[in-house]
Amino acid sequence: MQRLTWIRKKTVAIAVIILQIAVLYGLADLGGLISKLLHTPVPGSIFGLIILFLLLQFRVLRLDWIARGGDLLIREMLLFFVPSSVGIMTYGHLMLHEGLQILVTIVCSTAIVMLITGTMADNIWKARQLRRPRRTAHEDAKEVASW
Amino acid sequence: MWLGLVSTLICYGICKKLYQRFHYVVLNPVLTCLAVLIAFLSLAHVSYHTYFASGKWLTDMLSPATVALAIPLYRNVHILKAHWLEFLVSLVSGAAAAIVSSILLARLMRLGGMIETSVAPRSVTTPIAMDISQTIGGIPTLTAVFVIITGISGVVIGPLVIRYVRIRSAIAKGAIFGMGCHGIGTARAFEMGQMEGTCSSLSMVIAAFITLALAPSLVPLLT
């Protein structure tokens, strides 16, 4: 009996997640439509993101109506990268001949980007920190909403 | 028919468990999963075309996943309001640096025009990078590969940068990962702490916006 209720609960939970993902999918499609109608290079998913943010901000949608599905998608985002990356196999000869140069390019460029981004953000943070009343790391941590 | 989807799911599941168990950088789930799948497909003589027939269902999930990024944005908009200057300045310069340095280094390495354009949007999250690549005349599939390489090298480089440049604030640490290596970096930033991870996901979204705005005008100037 207990096992049956457990199964029922699990089924409901999965159905809820699928429904929530369907809503997000719908928003992405809506964004795609807008992108097509406006003839912009801005991808539809970005319009979808903006629409969802506004719907949440103006309380048309409640966070708990989409949070479970949305958090799942974000948590497993790496999985969705895999199939298109497997496409690297169709560029086998390119990777064989120029793979090392590509790797050097990307590694150096990433290091440059991180150095610039990090020093900029950290220095501005320090400068503004001096002007603001003193805060502790503990207070900063409290800012983070629970995930 | 189901081969692409099923093999990817199984392989990813195992690789993820492996990473959670040992936490070595080289065991990054995307990297190991990719290596195993490619080895499997070539040994079994399955073409990428056949694999992608059902594998693309997973790729299709990238656009709702991108839409879902509105959720961390909404939850943490107060952090953005408090530290907007840090995010704005560091991410605009980071995004510009990513485009310019990618193209110039690719030229220095004599990689050819097609690769130069395809490598330019590499530091933003895949779905948006592929769209940008399409817009500026690159090859989206190639861009997807560069995005993954960026993500994995960023996970290695990020902690080194933080240590040697002595980055203190969680905001800067998050911005480094979010700007430098998108979703893969954000997963790593969450290992450092909630604030770092949250800042990283914010940075990832904003970096995508900024790159989207900068790339179409910046890339033609350089190529």
Side-chain angles (χ1 to χ4, degrees), chain A residues 34-48:
Chain A
I34 293 175
S35 161
K36 215 172 261 172
L37 287 177
L38 293 178
H39 295 287
T40 59
V42 180
S45 49
I46 286 289
F47 280 112

Side-chain angles (χ1 to χ4, degrees), chain B residues 97-117:
Chain B
I99 297 170
V100 174
S101 69
S102 299
I103 293 180
L104 293 185
L105 281 165
R107 188 165 311 153
L108 196 71
M109 293 286 151
R110 299 175 197 286
L111 283 170
M114 210 55 194
I115 296 184
E116 279 176 29
T117 357

